[in-house]
Amino acid sequence: MRFLLSASCLALVAGCSGPKPEPDAFPLGMQLVYAQDFWDAGAVNEFWITDPDHWKVEVRPPLEAGAPSPTGPASWLSVYHRTDRVPFAYRPRVRSPHRMAIVKNLVVRDFVMEVQVQSTGRPYPGRDLILIFGFQDAERFAYVQLATLPDERTHNVFVVDHADARRVGAVEFAGMPWTDGTWHTLRLERRTSDGLVRVTLDDFEEPLFELTDFTFSEGHVGIGTYDDTGMFAGLKVHAPSNLGGGVTSDPFVVPRTVPGTIHR
C-alpha cells in the first residue's frame, strides 16, 4: 500500500485526501508526500530499478502454531542474488552504485526520508546499503553509503556528476554495525538552504553523518546498495511538497552492460 501527493494536490486544501501534516515531528512544515509499505507485489512499478529481475517484494509467511512472534516489518522490497545464478547486468559508465531503486513521480528539495533496512550481504569491510537523493539521471545524483568499515570509497556521502563518485566528507565516521537478521531504521534529512545532509540511526539522536553539500538542490530519492544485497521496508518521505516533473523515462534502460568487473 502506498500514497503519493502531487504538488497540485497539496496546494488544494479541499478535496485532497491523504495523511495530515505532522508539524511536531518534522521541520519546515513538512508533510507526508510518499509512503510505501511494500505489501503489494506491484510496488516495484513505482520505482526506476537497475536489474529489475533481481528485485522483488516479499511478505513474511504466516506463523506456525506455537511459534514466537517475529520482530521487524511484515513486508519489504528485496534486492537479491537469483537462485538460477543469473548475474546482475547493470554496469554504470562511471564508478557509482550498481543496484538502485528510484521513486518515480516524486521530486523533492528539502525532505526527511525514513526507511527500515536490513543488510543481507556477506560479512566484509565494504558490506553496505545506500540512500539516494538529488537524482537527475544515471550519472547525476548523490547518495549516502553505510558500510561496515570506512575508507576512501565507502561509508560517506558521495556525489556522482558525470564522473566517478566523489567523497564529500573526510574518512572519520564510525562504520555501520551490520549484523545478519537485524533491522535498522535510517533517517536522511536534506536541507538545501545550508547544504545539510544528516543521517541518523534507530533512535534518531546522534547522527551517523552530518555534512554539507550543495551539488543537487532537488531531485528524486531512492534506496539500494553499491553492489550487495538487502531489504527495505516502511519507506516514508516528508517534504513541504512534491515538486513534480523530474525523470519521465527509465534512466537505466540505456545499454550499460559494458564488460569489466565491479569497481568501487
Side-chain angles (χ1 to χ4, degrees), residues 170-191:
V171 183
E172 61 182 7
F173 301 102
M176 179 69 188
W178 297 120
T179 54
D180 293 345
T182 301
W183 285 96
H184 295 281
T185 301
L186 297 175
R187 175 168 172 162
L188 167 61
E189 181 179 351
R190 174 65 164 154
R191 189 171 63 223

Side-chain angles (χ1 to χ4, degrees), residues 30-258:
M30 292 186 179
Q31 54 193 327
L32 190 60
V33 295
Y34 182 80
Q36 177 56 258
D37 60 13
F38 301 109
W39 191 253
D40 188 286
V44 295
N45 297 322
E46 296 180 11
F47 296 81
W48 303 121
I49 292 178
T50 60
D51 288 298
D53 290 342
H54 287 265
W55 295 74
K56 63 181 177 181
V57 168
E58 297 181 293
V59 177
R60 185 195 303 142
L63 288 177
E64 296 182 1
S69 298
T71 59
S75 56
W76 54 84
L77 178 65
S78 177
V79 53
Y80 66 102
H81 290 288
R82 291 172 48 146
T83 56
D84 58 8
R85 301 198 176 190
V86 172
F88 288 89
Y90 180 75
R91 295 290 187 272
R93 299 185 192 278
V94 297
R95 179 170 54 78
S96 57
H98 294 231
R99 300 167 192 174
M100 297 183 284
I102 306 299
V103 181
K104 300 177 182 178
N105 304 319
L106 177 66
V107 174
V108 289
R109 185 171 293 122
D110 294 346
F111 68 89
V112 175
M113 177 167 68
E114 292 181 359
V115 62
Q116 293 175 270
V117 300
Q118 182 180 150
S119 169
T120 57
R122 62 184 174 86
Y124 77 108
R127 182 181 185 178
D128 81 293
L129 295 176
I130 65 173
L131 304 178
I132 301 155
F133 63 99
F135 186 93
Q136 314 292 310
D137 58 45
E139 294 182 5
R140 291 185 299 161
F141 60 94
Y143 66 96
V144 177
Q145 185 184 32
L146 301 156
T148 302
L149 183 65
D151 63 24
E152 295 292 324
R153 293 186 175 182
T154 61
H155 197 69
N156 215 297
V157 177
F158 294 88
V159 171
V160 178
D161 194 3
H162 293 303
D164 290 352
R166 169 179 59 84
R167 191 183 74 254
V168 172
V171 183
E172 61 182 7
F173 301 102
M176 179 69 188
W178 297 120
T179 54
D180 293 345
T182 301
W183 285 96
H184 295 281
T185 301
L186 297 175
R187 175 168 172 162
L188 167 61
E189 181 179 351
R190 174 65 164 154
R191 189 171 63 223
T192 56
S193 60
D194 58 2
L196 175 71
V197 181
R198 178 190 291 129
V199 180
T200 50
L201 172 70
D202 294 332
D203 61 11
F204 301 153
E205 293 185 0
E206 291 299 321
L208 290 173
F209 299 104
E210 189 163 338
L211 298 171
T212 300
D213 185 76
F214 293 93
T215 307
F216 301 116
S217 61
E218 62 186 55
H220 295 264
V221 297
I223 51 182
T225 170
Y226 196 100
D227 55 11
D228 279 334
T229 58
M231 302 189 296
F232 305 86
L235 176 62
K236 296 185 292 185
V237 181
H238 285 75
S241 67
N242 176 6
L243 301 177
V247 177
T248 57
S249 61
D250 190 344
F252 306 120
V253 83
V254 177
R256 294 179 185 279
T257 54
V258 296

Side-chain angles (χ1 to χ4, degrees), residues 3-27:
F3 80 92
L4 188 151
L5 300 179
S6 67
S8 58
C9 183
L10 286 168
L12 300 174
V13 176
C16 179
S17 62
K20 298 292 190 290
E22 300 180 40
D24 296 333
F26 295 90

